[in-house]
């Protein structure tokens, strides 16, 4: 065999070696890349939870500092009893954090710290009002608020542990609808229903006011609306006639929104609660818009509610009084009327007294405003923390709601998307209704400011909302396998 005959053979042998080597290196690189991705996924939950822990420590410092400042400003000394109760709440929040590390490690790290600091600021302001009114023991609103806060945090832990997958809630869509309907009927049942400040929205046992079922009903309604709209959105979104560039639904498809509108009007008439009616109807309208992407539903919803409110303002004394106090608050006639604009004006004057930076915790006079611990908690905080403090609180709400909506739009299933947006919008609408009422942007209604205002059922409901949002965010990140 000649040298010329050996050349191709040698060439083939030399070529085969690098090809095999390149293939082996490619396989090794892919294997290493898979390991790196796996390690990143394993490190991500730990990173999220560590970030949450740092924020929780910062939130706890803010809350305990607020209690100390209230005592120094109002009493001139530090009393350790309430600080110990506040520290107990911090321990419960840390227990919820530990729970998230094990059962929802990918949950959003900002929701829990935001809820914690809002709850703590509310307790501090309610305690400040108790000092001014010389309330103590169980009669003090702050003591009951701390107890209800503990119950609410425990309820959030239970929700995180029980609801391991939010899609399970979709199976019980109509069960939650029935639960919401029954909860709304409870205050109308003779013997257990109670009327407070003109609104029949409370349930009491043995003469003790203990529960506001409408707060829990809003969560059940959000689940029901999300499940119902997922099942029926095709007919609600696809058919209809175009008018002025928008596709309007057929008359036969107006049934769901008319039913919810009728329910809202019934709440105004029988329970005398304009705020709850607005909350429920607004929740359904927004979720309907999100599920169908049709602006015509929003226009129909606004027309129905504004028309119903106009009729109610002319035919119902309760609603008429609210509108008169809003439109002509500074008139002597509105000021002197029974249940007139005195409360509204005191709140406005309190906000004005606070100015830009406030009087300081414990150094204002928020107790002059009636119901300063509940309906007018924002005015109380505005007086002692100033406009800057109110803006900071509103920024926390904005961040909470925006994170919730982002969770919804990141979800790959329609039910999770609607549920997250619905729950987030519930918080946003409540804040708008209460802050708007206190600042005279809209007529004042009888809702609670989430996490801040005194009220046990409200605290429980809002902590459950946060727990559900954390569960949803964990499901979204586990499905996507990416960081927030």
């Amino acid at each position: 065999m000649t040298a010329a005959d050996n050349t191709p053979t040698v060439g083939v042998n030399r070529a085969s070696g690098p090809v095999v080597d390149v293939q082996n290196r490619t396989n090794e690189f892919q294997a290493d890349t898979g390991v790196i991705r796996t390690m990143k996924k394993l490190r991500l939950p730990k990173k999220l939870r560590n970030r949450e822990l740092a924020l929780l420590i910062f939130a706890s410092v803010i809350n305990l500092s607020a209690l100390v400042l209230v005592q120094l400003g109002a009493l001139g000394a530090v009393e350790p009893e309430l600080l110990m109760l506040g520290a107990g709440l911090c321990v419960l929040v840390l227990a919820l954090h530990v729970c998230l590390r094990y059962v929802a490690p990918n949950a959003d790290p900002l929701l829990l710290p935001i809820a914690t600091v809002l709850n703590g600021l509310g307790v501090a302001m309610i305690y400040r009002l108790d000092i001014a009114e010389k309330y103590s023991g169980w009669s003090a609103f702050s003591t009951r608020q701390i107890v209800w806060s503990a119950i609410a945090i425990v309820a959030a832990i239970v929700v995180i542990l029980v609801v391991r997958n939010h899609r399970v809630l979709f199976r019980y869509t109509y069960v939650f609808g029935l639960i919401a309907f029954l909860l709304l009927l409870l205050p109308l049942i003779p013997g257990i229903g109670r009327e407070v400040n003109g609104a029949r929205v409370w349930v009491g046992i043995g003469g003790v006011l203990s529960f506001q079922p409408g707060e829990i009903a809003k969560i059940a309604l959000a689940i029901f609306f999300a499940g119902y709209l997922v099942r029926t959105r095709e007919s609600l979104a696809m058919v209809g006639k175009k008018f002025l560039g928008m596709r309007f639904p057929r008359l036969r498809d107006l049934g769901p929104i008319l039913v919810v509108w009728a329910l809202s009007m019934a709440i105004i008439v029988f329970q005398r609660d304009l705020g709850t009616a607005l909350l429920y109807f607004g929740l359904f309208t927004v979720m309907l818009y999100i599920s169908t992407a049709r602006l015509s539903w929003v226009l129909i919803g606004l027309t129905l509610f504004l028309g119903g409110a106009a009729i109610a303002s002319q035919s119902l004394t309760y609603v008429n009084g609210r509108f008169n106090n809003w439109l002509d608050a500074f008139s002597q006639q509105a000021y002197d009327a029974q249940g007139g604009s005195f409360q509204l004006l005191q709140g406005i004057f309190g906000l004005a007294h606070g100015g830009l930076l406030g009087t300081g915790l414990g150094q204002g006079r928020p107790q002059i405003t009636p119901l300063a611990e509940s309906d007018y908690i924002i005015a109380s905080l505005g007086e002692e923390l100033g406009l800057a403090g109110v803006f900071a609180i509103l920024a926390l709400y904005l961040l909470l709601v925006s994170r919730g909506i982002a969770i919804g739009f990141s979800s790959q299933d329609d039910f999770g998307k609607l549920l997250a947006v619905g729950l987030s919008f519930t918080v946003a609408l409540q804040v708008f209704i209460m802050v708007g009422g206190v600042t005279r942007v809209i007529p004042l209604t009888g809702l609670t400011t989430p996490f801040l205002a005194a009220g046990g059922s409200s605290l429980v409901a809002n902590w459950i909302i946060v727990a559900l949002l954390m569960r949803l965010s964990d499901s979204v990140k586990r499905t996507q396998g990416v960081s927030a």
Side-chain angles (χ1 to χ4, degrees):
M1 183 177 293
T2 63
D5 296 330
N6 291 334
T7 303
T9 305
V10 173
V12 172
N13 291 336
R14 289 177 179 176
S16 63
V19 170
V20 174
D21 188 54
V22 169
Q23 184 63 41
N24 290 336
R25 291 184 179 181
T26 301
N27 293 336
E28 291 175 0
F29 175 76
Q30 291 177 346
D32 292 342
T33 303
V35 171
I36 292 173
R37 288 177 179 173
T38 302
M39 292 177 64
K40 284 183 177 180
K41 290 180 181 179
L42 292 174
R43 286 199 301 264
L44 174 61
K46 184 177 180 181
K47 181 180 179 181
L48 292 176
R49 300 280 65 82
N50 290 341
R51 186 186 305 169
E52 181 183 77
L53 178 60
L55 291 173
L56 281 178
I57 294 173
F58 182 58
S60 300
V61 170
I62 291 176
N63 293 342
L64 294 177
S65 299
L67 289 175
V68 171
L69 290 174
V70 165
Q71 291 179 341
L72 292 176
L75 301 174
V78 176
E79 297 182 354
E81 290 81 5
L82 198 76
L83 293 179
M84 295 299 294
L85 293 177
L89 287 182
C90 296
V91 171
L92 276 177
V93 170
L94 289 176
L96 177 53
H97 163 76
V98 173
C99 180
L100 289 173
R101 281 186 177 267
Y102 287 97
V103 300
N106 292 286
D108 189 288
L110 297 182
L111 297 176
L112 181 56
I114 292 173
T116 300
V117 73
L118 288 172
N119 196 163
L121 289 176
V123 169
M125 180 48 60
I126 294 169
Y127 175 54
R128 187 267 172 277
L129 292 167
D130 285 339
I131 293 176
E133 299 291 345
K134 294 182 171 53
Y135 292 145
S136 60
W138 184 248
S139 62
F141 286 102
S142 56
T143 304
R144 283 178 280 176
Q145 188 78 349
I146 290 175
V147 172
W148 276 112
S149 298
I151 295 172
I153 297 170
V154 171
I157 294 175
V158 172
V159 169
I160 289 292
L161 293 175
V162 173
V163 184
R164 294 299 181 95
N165 190 332
H166 69 275
R167 295 180 184 87
V168 175
L169 302 175
F170 182 68
R171 303 176 190 173
Y172 305 99
T173 296
Y174 295 102
V175 174
F176 280 104
L178 178 61
I179 291 173
F181 181 71
L182 294 177
L183 286 172
L184 292 176
L185 285 181
L186 282 179
L188 301 178
I189 298 177
I192 63 172
R194 298 288 186 271
E195 183 174 322
V196 180
N197 297 324
R200 193 176 181 85
V201 296
W202 288 89
V203 171
I205 300 176
V208 179
L209 297 177
S210 58
F211 185 60
Q212 192 174 350
E215 290 289 338
I216 306 299
K218 69 186 180 185
I219 302 175
L221 281 175
I223 298 173
F224 168 68
F225 290 158
Y228 172 78
L229 291 172
V230 166
R231 289 178 168 91
T232 60
R233 64 174 183 170
E234 295 298 331
S235 61
L236 296 174
M238 301 303 295
V239 295
K241 294 183 178 180
K242 273 197 171 183
F243 179 70
L244 297 178
M246 289 183 290
R247 187 175 295 278
F248 285 83
R250 300 171 300 182
L251 290 178
R252 72 180 72 173
D253 296 326
L254 293 176
I257 197 170
L258 290 176
V259 169
V260 178
W261 176 78
L263 174 65
S264 301
M265 293 302 105
I267 291 174
I268 294 177
V269 173
F270 296 106
Q271 296 187 351
R272 297 166 56 87
D273 192 356
L274 182 62
T276 300
L278 176 58
L279 177 65
Y280 294 163
F281 190 72
L283 172 64
F284 181 72
T285 303
V286 167
M287 293 180 72
L288 184 57
Y289 168 69
I290 295 296
S291 65
T292 62
R294 289 172 64 168
L295 187 61
S296 57
W297 284 114
V298 178
L299 296 179
I300 293 171
L302 287 174
T303 302
L304 285 173
F305 191 84
L306 292 176
I311 295 173
S313 66
Q314 299 300 318
S315 57
L316 299 175
T317 306
Y318 154 74
V319 180
N320 181 261
R322 294 280 177 136
F323 274 85
N324 288 337
N325 294 337
W326 170 54
L327 294 172
D328 201 16
F330 291 90
S331 70
Q332 189 66 38
Q333 182 179 1
Y335 185 84
D336 293 337
Q338 180 68 25
S341 61
F342 173 79
Q343 182 188 33
L344 176 60
L345 295 183
Q346 290 301 315
I348 292 174
F349 294 152
L351 288 170
H353 183 219
L356 181 61
L357 299 178
T359 61
L361 287 173
Q363 300 183 34
R365 294 188 297 168
Q367 70 275 10
I368 296 177
T369 305
L371 300 177
E373 73 285 343
S374 54
D375 290 3
Y376 273 76
I377 190 73
I378 283 291
S380 302
L381 288 164
E383 180 173 353
E384 300 205 338
L385 297 180
L387 186 62
V390 173
F391 278 178
I393 291 171
L394 294 180
L396 289 174
Y397 279 123
L398 181 62
L399 185 57
L400 176 66
V401 172
S402 64
R403 298 293 287 193
I405 293 176
I407 291 167
F409 282 100
S410 300
S411 180
Q412 296 181 356
D413 68 294
D414 294 331
F415 176 74
K417 174 182 178 180
L418 285 175
L419 181 58
V421 173
L423 294 174
S424 303
F425 182 77
T426 298
V427 176
L429 187 56
Q430 278 193 248
V431 173
F432 170 75
I433 290 172
M434 292 312 300
V435 175
V438 169
T439 56
R440 202 170 163 243
V441 174
I442 60 174
L444 182 67
T445 58
L447 286 176
T448 56
T449 309
F451 299 106
L452 292 176
S457 51
S458 174
L459 272 178
V460 172
N462 288 306
W463 272 102
I464 290 175
I465 287 175
V466 169
L468 289 174
L469 288 175
M470 289 190 292
R471 170 55 65 198
L472 284 161
S473 65
D474 177 68
S475 299
V476 168
K477 289 186 177 69
R478 279 191 291 108
T479 302
Q480 294 177 342
V482 296
S483 61

